[in-house]
Amino acid sequence: MKNIAWLASYPKSGNTWVRAFLTAFFRKPGEGNGFINDLVAVSAASRKIIEEELCLETSELTMEELENLRPEAMRSFAKEIDKAPHFIKVHDAYTNTPSGEALFPKEISIGVIYIVRNPLDVAVSFAHHNGEDVEKTISLMANSKTHISQNTNSIQLQVVQKLQSWDEHVKSWIHQTDIPCLLIKYEDMIADPETEFKKILDFCKIPFSEAELRSAINRSSFSSLQSHEMKEGFKEKAINASAFFRKGKAGSWRDDLTTEQANKLLRNHMDTMKELGYIDKAGNFLH
Amino acid sequence: MIPTSPGNTVLPYNYFANGLFISSEIPFPELLPVDGDIKPSLQILTGRVPQHLENTIFSSAIYQVSGDEFLLDIEHTAKYLVKGNHTIVIEPYAGAEENVIRLYILSTLFGVVLHKHHMLALHTSCIKIGDKAVLVAGPSGIGKSTLALGLHRKGYEIMNDDISAVVFNAQGEPQVYPGYVHIKLWANSLESYGYETEGFRQLRKDVRKYSFPLGNYHNFAPVSLKGIFFIGQNKEEGIRREVLTGLSTFRYLQTNTFRYRLIKMLNISENHFALCTRLANKIPLISISRPENTPPDVFADYMEDQFNNL
């Protein structure tokens, strides 16, 4: 049965904002503060969930064995769901396991909401999140072998996730034809949140009123999330970052990147940036 | 002790772990060896394992559950069949490594057997503090085993790592059995305490996890349990401590039950609920959350203090 809606994105592209909107939407106004640390959508890479679904100790599996078993973990998770759609957060690229199976099974998938953001803004945000310099992040975003949560000498609370390069990540999701895909741009969410969040609810066939939509948008606005983080902390903030909800703007890369850094990112990701409308045919920035 | 089953075959290797006397066809260096004859509660032997069980209640690509049997099929390693609560049959796949075959028995399948013996099997380490025991629970990767190593270095006896079998004595007081005679540690954890990995048996190639021997314990009897600590992480600057009350006690015990999904599959939900309720009414359950970058020795000092002041 198809009951999973994947919320997929490269890191720092707006995934948490969408989760916050959905959380606010499903909670009535005034129904408790503290929702920031109780957001909808478990992670597809949660080691605890994978272990529970497989009934196996994942730390004793090789990376290849674990990757081969992840689709089964998701199928098992989906069997226990009684209300659709059920949202699952994903940072992995859409790839096949070493045994050749799609990492995200189509037979359980209603669709994927793929959230994309200008890679120049992603680079700045990702660098802050990791506590690293932007040059290193630019290289990481260009590398087909980039993973997150990978450490062969210890265990992480999440399992290894293959990101690939930024543009490979984007293309893997928006060009695949196994799972229906709704593309949402971070910049469009900022410019016109009502239209974009409405698209998400319609895509998932979730009924709503205009009042409910506006209320959820207000309660999950960037300033609201920043305020929540300051008061309550945010458990998903990386240890090296000063804050998770930092700027929340489109185009702030112009303040943070040198011309050389911006051009490097442009060269690395030009085709996909054109396809997504981040640059025009001549290579001029549009965002 | 746990009752034995009739009609057992004499097998060459005898062990004790988690309240069970075990006879095995294959050696288990992770378990406490027992000299002399025993009446085993559990036998482990090789044999034919079917591809499918009949009348399955649950099934997935890797496990199947029928009324009395549990089948686990791990590609390139083995098929395993748990019959009742008394027998594990292993049918290895060609070329499977012996240490890898054992890993699934020592984790998932032991969990199945302990649940079927109606013990409360928790995903915890267990440390002996004086003449009592405390359990340390938390998700994989949170640092239970690293903490156990830190306390072992301080001279505390580590009764088990990974699965703790909790039972209730005739007076209704909770007790926990000693278990495996090693801690499983990642390279980083060993190196954080100044050890070099070359000195330890690697659990399997391609995975930098090692067996740290604890030495054998001499007493099979269960030890009174005085508290359970649930370890988590926070993004703040200090360690937070909270005594759990009400419904949260059951929620924590549930999520830290060893492979909680097995409870429903094995149709023991009522018994499990009753055990958790009894346990929560008898001992303190405490949540500890620490910043991600807390040095292991600092955390070990903090927890030693917590255990001794319980």
Side-chain angles (χ1 to χ4, degrees):
Chain A
M1 180 186 163
K2 294 180 193 239
N3 52 14
I4 303 290
W6 308 100
L7 296 176
S9 72
Y10 195 87
K12 310 311 291 177
S13 300
N15 199 308
T16 304
W17 185 8
V18 173
R19 289 166 64 215
F21 164 76
L22 290 168
T23 308
F25 179 82
F26 289 119
R27 282 197 191 197
K28 295 190 176 21
E31 200 172 77
N33 291 320
F35 82 94
I36 191 179
N37 283 308
D38 190 23
L39 295 178
V40 299
V42 295
S43 169
S46 161
R47 186 177 296 277
K48 182 161 177 60
I49 288 177
I50 292 170
E51 288 194 336
E52 276 305 313
E53 295 304 327
L54 297 176
C55 289
L56 293 179
E57 181 70 45
T58 59
S59 65
E60 286 151 20
L61 301 173
T62 63
M63 285 209 299
E64 184 173 309
E65 286 170 345
L66 178 51
E67 203 180 334
N68 282 335
L69 286 169
R70 281 184 68 191
E72 181 57 27
M74 289 295 104
R75 276 191 288 269
S76 178
F77 184 83
K79 273 188 203 166
E80 298 298 303
I81 289 164
D82 53 10
K83 195 175 163 194
H86 193 93
F87 294 96
I88 296 184
K89 169 188 164 177
V90 175
H91 280 321
D92 303 81
Y94 185 83
T95 58
N96 286 346
T97 65
S99 59
E101 187 182 358
L103 192 58
F104 301 99
K106 64 181 178 185
E107 65 270 25
I108 63 172
S109 306
I110 294 171
V112 55
I113 296 141
Y114 187 77
I115 309 138
V116 74
R117 186 181 184 187
N118 186 335
L120 278 68
D121 281 328
V122 170
V124 174
S125 186
F126 206 13
H128 274 281
H129 180 80
N130 292 332
E132 288 175 350
D133 67 62
V134 170
E135 287 295 339
K136 192 169 175 186
T137 302
I138 292 172
S139 298
L140 188 150
M141 287 175 66
N143 190 337
S144 295
K145 293 192 177 357
T146 294
H147 292 73
I148 52 174
S149 300
Q150 180 176 30
N151 186 332
T152 52
N153 295 320
S154 69
I155 186 176
Q156 312 293 318
L157 294 179
Q158 293 201 341
V159 302
V160 174
Q161 298 143 78
K162 273 187 202 159
L163 297 186
Q164 301 181 327
S165 69
W166 177 84
D167 63 308
E168 284 170 332
H169 189 284
V170 173
K171 286 187 286 195
S172 77
W173 279 103
I174 69 174
H175 291 172
Q176 57 80 29
T177 54
D178 293 327
I179 302 173
C181 180
L182 173 69
L183 176 65
I184 296 286
K185 287 171 73 175
Y186 182 90
E187 295 76 16
D188 292 343
M189 289 199 291
I190 291 180
D192 187 357
E194 275 199 33
T195 300
E196 298 309 301
F197 288 121
K198 197 182 282 190
K199 280 185 200 169
I200 291 173
L201 295 177
D202 284 337
F203 181 73
C204 298
K205 296 185 173 40
I206 297 171
F208 62 92
S209 68
E210 294 294 327
E212 283 171 330
L213 174 69
R214 275 195 297 275
S215 169
I217 290 171
N218 289 340
R219 284 181 288 129
S220 60
S221 68
F222 193 84
S223 56
S224 173
L225 296 175
Q226 264 187 326
S227 169
H228 274 291
E229 182 175 14
M230 277 176 57
K231 281 187 225 159
E232 304 149 27
F234 184 45
K235 66 183 182 185
E236 296 178 36
K237 180 184 82 71
I239 191 148
N240 296 320
S242 55
F244 188 93
F245 299 103
R246 206 176 52 87
K247 276 192 181 176
K249 289 185 182 163
S252 61
W253 63 267
R254 294 173 196 278
D255 301 325
D256 296 312
L257 296 178
T258 64
T259 306
E260 191 185 331
Q261 288 168 341
N263 286 335
K264 199 182 284 187
L265 282 158
L266 175 61
R267 280 195 303 276
N268 290 343
H269 308 298
M270 184 173 290
D271 288 346
T272 305
M273 288 178 73
K274 260 188 210 162
E275 185 179 344
L276 295 172
Y278 287 119
I279 54 176
D280 63 20
K281 285 181 188 164
N284 301 309
F285 293 110
L286 296 173
H287 281 276
Chain B
M1 297 296 170
I2 308 302
T4 62
S5 292
N8 294 314
T9 313
V10 175
L11 297 169
Y13 301 100
N14 292 332
Y15 301 103
F16 177 86
N18 290 315
L20 304 177
F21 280 104
I22 302 158
S23 277
S24 176
E25 194 177 312
I26 62 173
F28 279 85
E30 301 87 358
L31 301 180
L32 177 73
V34 176
D35 292 326
D37 294 335
I38 62 167
K39 288 186 180 174
S41 320
L42 175 66
Q43 288 198 305
I44 302 173
L45 24 107
T46 58
R48 295 302 304 274
V49 174
Q51 201 62 36
H52 299 287
L53 297 180
E54 289 181 9
N55 304 314
T56 54
I57 305 165
F58 285 94
S59 70
S60 76
I62 58 171
Y63 57 75
Q64 299 166 48
V65 186
S66 70
D68 195 43
E69 294 180 328
F70 179 94
L71 190 153
L72 181 68
D73 188 349
I74 302 294
E75 208 177 17
H76 308 306
T77 301
K79 286 186 290 180
Y80 306 84
L81 180 67
V82 180
K83 294 162 99 169
N85 62 7
H86 51 78
T87 305
I88 298 175
V89 182
I90 315 161
E91 185 179 344
Y93 285 114
E97 295 171 45
E98 276 186 17
N99 49 341
V100 179
I101 292 172
R102 291 198 310 272
L103 287 177
Y104 294 98
I105 297 172
L106 292 167
S107 55
T108 297
L109 297 172
F110 258 58
V112 171
V113 170
L114 294 175
H115 285 315
K116 282 175 165 239
H117 276 285
H118 297 295
M119 292 195 246
L120 182 56
L122 298 174
H123 187 197
T124 64
S125 300
C126 179
I127 299 106
K128 199 164 176 205
I129 309 292
D131 61 351
K132 293 193 191 290
V134 294
L135 302 185
V136 177
S140 295
I142 205 68
K144 299 187 295 295
S145 300
T146 308
L147 175 63
L149 177 61
L151 292 163
H152 173 74
R153 287 166 57 85
K154 286 172 176 282
Y156 292 94
E157 182 184 331
I158 308 302
M159 290 176 59
N160 58 53
D161 176 47
D162 214 27
I163 313 181
S164 297
V166 176
V167 294
F168 292 85
N169 65 10
Q171 291 73 42
E173 299 301 317
Q175 300 180 308
V176 60
Y177 280 104
Y180 307 158
V181 292
H182 75 157
I183 315 174
K184 296 180 290 184
L185 291 159
W186 286 89
N188 272 4
S189 296
L190 281 172
E191 288 159 2
S192 72
Y193 278 108
Y195 295 103
E196 296 195 7
T197 58
E198 285 72 26
F200 300 93
R201 177 174 66 85
Q202 193 168 356
L203 296 183
R204 59 180 302 187
K205 61 181 197 289
D206 302 329
V207 178
R208 295 203 73 212
K209 204 170 177 188
Y210 300 84
S211 168
F212 185 101
L214 293 170
N216 294 340
Y217 48 83
H218 301 292
N219 195 337
F220 303 149
V223 174
S224 290
L225 183 56
K226 73 170 180 170
I228 306 180
F229 291 84
F230 300 89
I231 307 299
Q233 278 181 4
N234 66 47
K235 302 288 182 184
E236 294 150 32
E237 294 199 353
I239 299 177
R240 274 194 299 153
R241 179 187 189 275
E242 181 192 345
V243 177
L244 299 173
T245 57
L247 281 175
S248 62
T249 58
F250 179 77
R251 189 166 52 85
Y252 272 75
L253 287 171
Q254 179 184 23
T255 54
N256 288 280
T257 294
F258 192 81
R259 304 292 171 257
Y260 178 69
R261 196 168 168 73
L262 291 171
I263 301 298
K264 192 173 163 189
M265 284 200 271
L266 299 173
N267 197 23
I268 53 173
S269 300
E270 255 186 66
N271 179 69
H272 177 260
F273 181 81
L275 289 171
C276 289
T277 307
R278 284 174 80 184
L279 187 60
N281 285 334
K282 284 286 183 184
I283 57 170
L285 307 182
I286 298 168
S287 162
I288 302 281
S289 74
R290 74 199 191 294
E292 224 171 294
N293 56 357
T294 306
D297 54 342
V298 168
F299 190 55
D301 287 343
Y302 175 86
M303 291 307 294
E304 180 184 20
D305 204 50
Q306 288 293 314
F307 297 157
N308 283 305
N309 289 323
L310 197 58

